């Protein structure tokens, strides 16, 4: 199954943006998967005491990416403010998780792969925000 | 079990803010519960075709509130940017879901209760953001 | 907001079982909350290396309880097989997480509170299975 | 990123079963994605009143698949009883969701794709249960 095929089967799935939406859903799901496994791998490392922050940030990032993917995959009656503010929170979590994992990337291969998935997801979230806004910059409501 | 007791049992659970954090976790969980049940009740209404947007917004708000509660409940190695941007996304989702549910509040009791849970959660999220920032206004990083 | 009020506002919310369903939803949400905070507290303990299994089990139990609560809260077009097999998985996770937390209960207050929330949730899941089955024993389909 | 690479980067990721575990995680994530989009597409169909049960079952199946993927992706300190009972609940949800979606498969392409993702996930969950048990049949504890 391809996410884009599934999105196109929606009664209103004729948007020009479907490929980009599908790519962002995929990036969020990959990042959630990477962060879940990185947290679990850190928990099994001998020097676990040094990895507390990494585990915590992985768990937060996984939860946020999973929710963002779910919301973004829904096309009907979409509210742009909800989608964009959640994408923004996701980009923030990915940036901070990437920065944390990069500090352990030489030591642990799981942190290296996870940092890369986070950087990709951060970038794709920003691109999706721009696309949904027609190029405008995100301005929160307070 | 009280969330606040559980938070106090944390090795670093001595913060003056614990009661407020526990109240925000509780408001998010209540709102997630209300939105889940409201979506399900809308789905069973005879005039379901008028409730499409309400169901969609309920589902998004439930997912976002649940994730926000989970992240907020973690005290160790907390990253303020992640917590605050997720609280912001939660406040946005609650505001929009409340506005939608309020339009059906006279007709459907589940929308009335859900709108009230959303308004409470929106308010408590904003208070928690202010508290965590020491009174400063939220400014996103782009 | 009370979960039971929300359940009663459903167009088909006239079941005699609503109080019991609401109690099971509440037990699952409390247990998810306790497990999330216990995992986070364990992660902050000095002797973290002894708590790897506890953290892992807490995370699994939290995820399972959250999903079980969501599914159980939906009344419309409920499929009993899905609900009962998920309640069964939840009871298993709660039993195993309780057994693990009980081993650290003298040392850590968060494990003590969490074990108690798990035992309650395990018992309530079994009661809900019995109720939904009209007293019959759960028999999986393979 | 490939899930199997990430699993192999775990300190204990030397299991002969890693490819099979990764395939099951992928099947659960695909099914969760398909069910989320199918529910959303059903909600936008003109004849929504006929699709109430399909939407409900999609939502349950999506939630269960997502949780199952998360738990299965964790390798450290894994408790077999938890993993297997959750895989069992996942297989049940996938079977029932597939049966429901198959009834609308001629009318709606999203139901057709979703039914197929559910059947795949159901099969892979059963294979994973067999593998983890060394070929024995699943016997619940009550």
């Amino acid at each position: 199954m391809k996410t884009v095929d599934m999105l196109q089967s929606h009664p209103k799935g004729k948007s020009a943006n479907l490929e980009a939406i599908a790519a962002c859903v995929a990036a969020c799901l990959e990042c959630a998967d990477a962060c879940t496994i990185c947290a679990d791998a850190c928990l099994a490392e001998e020097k676990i005491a040094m990895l507390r922050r990494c585990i915590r940030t992985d768990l937060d990032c996984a939860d946020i990416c999973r929710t963002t993917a779910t919301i973004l995959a829904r096309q009907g009656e979409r509210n742009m403010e909800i989608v964009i503010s959640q994408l923004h929170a996701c980009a923030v979590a990915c940036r901070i998780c990437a920065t944390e994992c990069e500090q352990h990337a030489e030591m642990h291969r799981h942190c290296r792969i996870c940092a890369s998935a986070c950087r990709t997801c951060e970038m794709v979230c920003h691109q999706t925000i721009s696309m949904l806004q027609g190029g405008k910059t995100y301005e929160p409501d307070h």
Side-chain angles (χ1 to χ4, degrees), chain A residues 12 25 47 64 76 91 98 116 134 139:
Chain A
K12 291 178 186 162
V25 170
K47 299 200 174 176
I64 290 173
S116 164
E139 293 289 347

Side-chain angles (χ1 to χ4, degrees), chain A residues 15 17 20-21 24 72 78-85 87 125-136:
Chain A
S15 152
N17 293 334
I21 295 287
C24 191
L72 195 60
R78 177 184 282 155
N79 180 286
M80 280 303 171
E81 271 196 89
I82 293 178
V83 175
I84 288 172
S85 60
L87 279 166
C125 285
H126 282 302
Q127 289 171 346
T128 307
I129 291 171
S130 290
M131 183 188 77
L132 292 174
Q133 288 176 323
K136 287 175 294 175

Side-chain angles (χ1 to χ4, degrees), chain A residues 53-71:
Chain A
R53 181 171 297 169
C54 197
I55 294 170
R56 158 74 204 248
T57 315
D58 279 336
L59 291 174
D60 283 2
C61 195
D63 287 335
I64 290 173
C65 285
R66 237 183 309 271
T67 286
T68 307
T70 302
I71 284 163

Side-chain angles (χ1 to χ4, degrees), chain A residues 8 13 23 60 66 77 83 93 95 121-122 127:
Chain A
Q8 278 166 349
D60 283 2
R66 237 183 309 271
E77 306 289 353
V83 175
R95 171 171 53 78
C121 191
E122 180 197 1
Q127 289 171 346

Side-chain angles (χ1 to χ4, degrees), chain A residues 39-112:
Chain A
D40 177 62
C42 286
L43 199 58
E45 294 290 351
E46 207 184 333
K47 299 200 174 176
I48 182 177
M50 290 175 57
L51 294 164
R52 287 183 171 103
R53 181 171 297 169
C54 197
I55 294 170
R56 158 74 204 248
T57 315
D58 279 336
L59 291 174
D60 283 2
C61 195
D63 287 335
I64 290 173
C65 285
R66 237 183 309 271
T67 286
T68 307
T70 302
I71 284 163
L72 195 60
R74 296 186 184 122
Q75 296 180 84
E77 306 289 353
R78 177 184 282 155
N79 180 286
M80 280 303 171
E81 271 196 89
I82 293 178
V83 175
I84 288 172
S85 60
Q86 187 56 46
L87 279 166
H88 172 69
C90 192
V92 168
C94 289
R95 171 171 53 78
I96 287 162
C97 194
T99 304
E100 180 60 35
C101 277
E102 283 159 4
Q103 294 180 37
H104 315 285
E106 285 193 34
M107 190 77 96
H108 303 304
R109 194 163 164 265
H110 47 83
C111 288
R112 195 155 67 249

